[in-house]
Amino acid sequence: MSLHPSLQSYADAWTHSIDAISELVSPLVEGEWNRRTPCPGWSVRDLVSHVIGLDCEMLGDPRPIHTLPRDLYHVTNEHQRYMEMQVDVRRHHTAPEMTSELEYTIIRRNRQLRNESRQPDALVRGPLSTEVTLEESMRNRAYDLWVHEQDLRTALGRPGNLDSPGAYVARDVLLSRLPKVVAKDAGAPPNSAVVFDVHGPLEFLRTVRVDAEGVGSIDGAPSLGPAATLTLDWETYFRLACGRVTPEAVADRLKTEGDPELTAAILRNFAVTP
């Protein structure tokens, strides 16, 4: 394979999740494609349309020329409008049309990954006419795909893959955003620390430390006398961080210690992805 070694884990995660998604949706009958998912405003069909559309963009396909309806309540900003285009253009596709396009897209993307020889820092097209590195693009794609695999599993009552390759990518992406949540969004005081103790299929302990300037950083060492500690399972962690549930809805799966105002502020700002 010509794929750069630093990109291999993202390719593996994408492959694992896309195969799981294909396996989940292939046997669905027409009505099941209309089931609601935890992703606001999106059905199973919409979610698979999003998956197909973004992988087509990774392939360099032109975006569809399409006018969105004005009554989509869940579309409130330009980023959501951008994402909705690939979804709405497929809203009336049948189950066989959806599965055949998904399979064809998977074949094309697998071929692209087999032949990928660009360096991780090569610039590629990103959302809204942005440019990102190939590494960032592949990481975001692996993360997005695993989260949507979990959305589909929730909608279809088929739990699983909470410790798959994509789960580890998702963990790292979500943890990279945690210092901002604690230090800036929740306003943790300078020279304080907040501990996150996560158990379940993925287990990890991380400490976010806020320095004298109010800047957050994260490491794996425990803290003596943290301002707050949050203990929760991995599924609850990612569902909160991805905005799929509210803190109130999973209060029985959360244990908090320390400053109650700080823990409330952290949970209020915990969702870092639409």
Side-chain angles (χ1 to χ4, degrees):
M1 262 182 93
S2 54
L3 191 66
H4 192 279
S6 68
L7 303 176
Q8 189 63 54
S9 62
Y10 304 132
D12 292 344
W14 176 87
T15 300
H16 195 278
S17 287
I18 202 74
D19 287 347
I21 287 172
S22 178
E23 188 179 314
L24 284 167
V25 302
S26 291
L28 298 183
V29 298
E30 198 66 54
E32 292 175 302
W33 285 83
N34 298 321
R35 283 194 188 180
R36 289 180 59 181
T37 72
C39 206
W42 281 1
S43 65
V44 168
R45 177 184 283 100
D46 296 339
L47 224 153
V48 176
S49 296
H50 169 73
V51 166
I52 293 169
L54 285 199
D55 271 316
C56 285
E57 292 187 25
M58 294 286 283
L59 285 158
D61 293 358
R63 280 175 54 77
I65 298 170
H66 179 70
T67 302
L68 288 179
R70 295 177 178 270
D71 59 350
L72 297 173
Y73 73 92
H74 59 282
V75 177
T76 59
N77 57 48
E78 276 308 302
H79 183 265
Q80 289 169 344
R81 286 183 63 81
Y82 181 95
M83 293 301 174
E84 196 71 22
M85 203 73 78
Q86 295 278 14
V87 172
D88 194 67
V89 79
R90 294 175 172 84
R91 277 222 158 90
H92 301 293
H93 287 197
T94 64
E97 286 174 325
M98 292 299 300
T99 52
S100 61
E101 188 182 10
L102 177 63
E103 290 309 310
Y104 182 51
T105 304
I106 292 172
I107 290 167
R108 293 176 65 211
R109 280 282 283 140
N110 274 321
R111 186 185 302 130
Q112 181 189 38
L113 288 171
R114 278 198 306 273
N115 297 324
E116 182 60 80
S117 58
R118 291 173 292 182
Q119 291 298 302
D121 59 358
L123 292 177
V124 299
R125 182 176 74 177
L128 293 168
S129 302
T130 56
E131 280 193 333
V132 296
T133 65
L134 178 61
E135 182 169 14
E136 184 181 352
S137 178
M138 288 184 62
R139 178 173 61 243
N140 289 343
R141 193 75 204 99
Y143 161 66
D144 185 67
L145 201 61
W146 181 82
V147 172
H148 290 319
E149 178 200 335
Q150 293 303 318
D151 287 335
L152 288 169
R153 289 185 177 282
T154 300
L156 300 170
R158 296 274 305 278
N161 283 353
L162 288 171
D163 58 351
S164 67
Y168 285 89
V169 175
R171 177 200 64 184
D172 293 345
V173 168
L174 294 174
L175 286 175
S176 72
R177 299 174 184 177
L178 205 48
K180 177 180 178 292
V181 169
V182 172
K184 185 178 179 184
D185 301 336
N191 301 312
S192 67
V194 176
V195 172
F196 295 84
D197 188 356
V198 179
H199 54 90
L202 257 62
E203 289 193 352
F204 52 91
L205 186 142
R206 294 291 187 277
T207 302
V208 175
R209 303 179 195 278
V210 184
D211 66 16
E213 307 298 318
V215 177
S217 61
I218 189 167
D219 61 54
S223 169
L224 295 175
T229 300
L230 289 85
T231 304
L232 65 166
D233 63 275
W234 164 234
E235 185 176 5
T236 302
Y237 183 99
F238 87 75
R239 292 178 75 197
L240 278 169
C242 295
R244 295 327 194 235
V245 291
T246 63
E248 294 75 22
V250 291
D252 60 327
R253 301 181 70 167
L254 272 165
K255 180 185 174 188
T256 60
E257 300 173 64
D259 184 341
E261 288 188 11
L262 177 56
T263 55
I266 291 169
L267 290 171
R268 205 164 46 242
N269 292 280
F270 206 70
V272 293
T273 186

